[in-house]
Amino acid sequence: MPATIPPDKINLKLILVTGKTHEFLFLPDTSAEDVTQHVFNNWPLEWEDEAVGNSSKLRLIYQGRFLQNESTLSSIKLLPGTTTVMHLVARENISEPSSQGKVKGKTEEGGCCTIL
């Protein structure tokens, strides 16, 4: 990435579960959905083995929390001219928690959910 970050942009250093990283520049009003779409459209060559089928499978994690698609970089208080580290994961590898914080998933019969 550039030696200096433009004062109106946020430098996102994204980390995959494999540990590979890449940096991208964004405006503060960029949404999480737009970030994942941009990353998908500009997938780094060094991430070729981790490619996904479409951008909707990508999720950003910041400070241990998944970002909602509509969240903007400025809404999570990221400052222009700085670098922020986030994790980028594929949704197909994520279990979604229930409202009680327990992981839920379908049973093999498909008619009910199992609470772990």
Side-chain angles (χ1 to χ4, degrees), residues 5-17:
I5 302 164
D8 63 332
K9 302 259 175 112
I10 295 168
N11 185 41
L12 284 187
K13 181 175 184 176
L14 301 179
I15 304 173
L16 300 179
V17 294

Side-chain angles (χ1 to χ4, degrees), residues 10-71:
I10 295 168
N11 185 41
L12 284 187
K13 181 175 184 176
L14 301 179
I15 304 173
L16 300 179
V17 294
T18 59
K20 294 179 182 177
T21 65
H22 195 83
E23 296 182 24
F24 298 90
L25 291 173
F26 295 100
L27 292 170
D29 63 348
T30 305
S31 69
E33 183 175 27
D34 291 339
V35 168
T36 57
Q37 183 65 55
H38 177 82
V39 171
F40 177 79
N41 290 340
N42 298 280
W43 199 257
L45 292 175
E46 63 269 22
W47 289 4
E48 186 176 351
D49 293 341
E50 291 84 10
V52 295
N54 62 60
S55 67
S56 65
K57 292 185 177 189
L58 297 174
R59 298 289 305 268
L60 293 169
I61 301 173
Y62 177 63
Q63 294 185 339
R65 297 181 183 201
F66 290 103
L67 294 184
Q68 299 299 316
N69 281 338
E70 62 276 0
S71 297

